[in-house]
Amino acid sequence: MAELALHDYARTLMYDVQSLAEAEAGSIPTIFTRRVLEQLEEAGIVANTAVGFHQEHGIVVYGFGVSEDQSTLDLYTTEYDLAQGLPGADKLTKSDAGKAYRRLLAFLKKCGSIRHNHAETSEVHQLCEGVEKALASATQIRLFLFTNQVSTSGARPETTEFNGLPVTHELWDLTRLHRHETSGSLGEPIVVEFDPPLACLSAESTEPNHSVTLAVLPGELLAKLYDEHRTRLLELNVRAFLQARTSVNREIRKTVLNEPGRFLAYNNGITATASEADFVMDEAGHPVAIRRMTGLQIVNGGQTTATLHHVMKRDKGDLSQIKVQMKLTLVDPDHLETIVPLISKYSNSQNKVSLVDFDSNHRFHVEFERFSRSLLAPAVQGSGQGETRWFYERARGQYAAAEAATKSPAERRNFRLEHPSRQRFSKADLAKFANSWNGLPHYVSRGAQKNFFEFMQLAKRTPPAVDSEYCKRVIAMGILFKAVDAVAKEQGAGSHKALVTTYTMARLCAATEQRIDLDRIWRQQEVTPALRSAIEDLCPLAMGKIVVQGRHVTEWAKSSTCWEEVSALDWEVPEDLAAELLSQPVEFAEDTSEKEEAHLSEVRTIGSDEWEGLAGWALQTRNLTPAERQLATSTAAKLRTESEITPGQAAQALAIYEKAIGIGFSRNAA
C-alpha cells in the first residue's frame, strides 16, 4: 500500500510540476526546486529562500537560503529526471549525489568571479551577491539536493569543511518528499539518541494519553540539537518559532559565560514533548534512563535553547559545565493538538499563542475548505476548457490524496481537468494573497510561517465571515497575485521575484484604495487588460525601491521602512484602470458568532437574580427608561425559563447593564 501511495505521489508531482512549467513558461527543474522550497519553508526547515539558476563547467546551483539568525547558509541544487514517472525506474546513486554536492561547493569557491562576469541586474549576479553576503556571517553551510528520483545511498555524507565552516548535506529524494508532504501538519519527527542513556525520573501517570518524565540535559547537547534542527525544534512553541529572530537573553548568556556552575540553579529549564521514548528499566520495571526520543519538541524554553546555541557558535563558549533541567511529557500523537497547547499555556502564563494558530483544524480553515470546494470557477473565455475548481489544501498532501483516490485513469484525467494543479493553494498561499491585498508586504516577505501567523492574528481580531462570497474574493486576490508574479518575472525580478510581487500588489491595492473589482476577477478568472497594464507600469518602480544596490534585499524587504518607501512612490492609477474601479472599497463581512457567544455567556453569568434586581432598582430610581427596565425584566425571565435570548437582545441587555453600573447600580443597591 505504501508503494502504491509513492507511485501516486510521483505521478501527481510530475503532473503538477509540468503544468506549472507550462503555465509560467519556466524550466521544469526550476519549478520543481521552487515547489520543494515552498513546502520546506512552510514547515520551517529552510528560510529566506531565493531561487536562481546558474550552470557552467563543474558548477550547478539552483538557489540559496539564509537562516533567520544569519548563522546558516543553504545552497540548493536539483537533479530532475524528466523521464521519471514511477519510483523504481532510474535511481539516484551515491556517486550522483556526491557529484551534485561537489558542484555546489565549486560554485561557492568561484562565486566572486562569477558575479563579476554578469551584469548587476542579472539573476546570476543577484544570486552570487546574496550568497557572498550570507557567507560573511555564516557559521555553518548546508548543501541541499532535491530530486524526483529514489536515492540508493543510505546515510548522508560526512560533514566536511569550507574555509573552516562545517558543511552538512541534505538529500530530499522522492521518498523523503513523499513522506514529508503526506505526513500532516508537522514535518519529519526529530529523533534524539542518548549514548550513554540519559538518567531520568519518571512519575507514575493515571492519564491514558500522556506521562511525565524529569531529566537533566547537557547544555552542549541542547545547543547542538538546535544547531541541527533550528526552528523545527520549536514548531509547537509558536511564540518562539515566530519571532523575527529567536532572541538571546542577556542574563542567561551572562550566567553561561561567567557562572556556568550556577546555571542549573538559576534557569527554569525547558518543557518538552515527544511522541515516543525508549527507556532503560530497573528491576521493578520503572524507567531510569532515556535511550531515544522521537518527535521531540520544545514548547517552553526556546530562549534558553537559542542563547546556549549563541554562546556555543558566536561566543565560542564552553558549555561543558552547563546542565539544563527538562520536563518531558510523552503525548499520544492522536492527542497532540489537544494537550500540547495546554502544556505550553500553563508552563508559561505569558504565552497567549497556541498551536491552533497553525492548526489545519482551526474553524476558519475548515470553513474555507468547505465553501471553496463547493465553488465552480467560471470558464476562462477562449480557453476551450469548461468550469473548474480551486483546491484549497488546509493540510499538506490533500491534493495528492484526492487524486490518488480516483479509481481509473479516466477518473484521474477528469480530476486534473476539474482541479488543475495551478489552482491548488495552501494556507500559506491564502495568507500571502490576503496580506498583500491588505498592505502588509513586509509581513509576506518574512516567510510563510511568520506571515501566516500575522494573518491569523488579524483574523482573530476581526474574524471574517467565511462564506462563498468571501472565498471567491480571496481566490480573486490569488488570481491578481499570480498576474503580478508573472509580470515581475517578465521584468527581470529574478531571485527577488517573490518580494517584488507582494510589494507591487500591495502598492497597487493601496493606490486603488482596495476598489479593484474582485468579483469581476472571479467571474473572468483573470485580470482585465487595464489592470495588467497598470501592473506592468508599477512593477519596475516598486522593484527599484526594493532591489537597492548595497542593501541586503531580503532583510530590507522585511522592514516596515521598505513598505513606507514603496508607499511613497510617485505613481497614479491610470485612467483606464480608474474607470473600472468600484465606487467603494471591497468590504468583507465580520464573523460575529464568537462575539455573540461571549455576550450570551456574560448575560448568563450575571444571572437572573441580578437582572431582576436591576429591573427593581430601575423602577425605584427611575434611572432607566421603561423600555430598558422591561428588557432587564424579560432577560431575567428568559434565564429562569431557559428561553432563547437573541444576540441582539444580549448586546442590548449588556449595554443597559453597563449603563446602570455607571450610574450607581450594584447588587447591594438591588
Side-chain angles (χ1 to χ4, degrees), residues 13-14 17-18 28-29 32 78-82 146-148:
L13 177 65
M14 285 201 69
V17 171
Q18 288 170 352
I28 285 180
F32 171 71
T78 289
E79 290 288 328
Y80 192 90
D81 182 6
L82 294 171
F146 307 134
T147 179
N148 67 330

Side-chain angles (χ1 to χ4, degrees), residues 35 38 144 192 261 300 388 431 447 462 493 516 534 558 560 577 601 660:
R35 185 187 186 282
E38 286 173 353
F144 282 79
V192 182
N300 188 37
T388 58
T462 310
I516 295 172
K558 295 177 182 178
S560 57
L577 175 58
S601 177

Side-chain angles (χ1 to χ4, degrees), residues 468-481:
S468 295
E469 181 182 74
Y470 177 80
C471 293
K472 288 177 181 179
R473 289 178 174 177
V474 170
I475 292 171
M477 294 176 197
I479 295 170
L480 175 59
F481 187 93

Side-chain angles (χ1 to χ4, degrees), residues 184-248:
S185 60
L186 296 178
E188 294 182 297
I190 294 172
V191 178
V192 182
E193 295 185 349
F194 299 101
D195 185 17
L198 182 70
C200 70
L201 174 64
S202 189
E204 292 187 12
S205 176
T206 58
E207 292 288 331
N209 303 318
H210 71 273
S211 60
V212 178
T213 298
L214 303 178
V216 176
L217 281 173
E220 189 173 10
L221 172 62
L222 186 58
K224 287 180 177 177
L225 282 172
Y226 184 78
D227 191 54
E228 180 177 0
H229 301 290
R230 297 304 171 108
T231 54
R232 287 192 60 227
L233 196 60
L234 310 174
E235 280 178 320
L236 300 185
N237 181 343
V238 179
R239 166 179 280 186
F241 185 62
L242 292 167
Q243 288 174 341
R245 291 180 184 164
T246 308
S247 56
V248 174

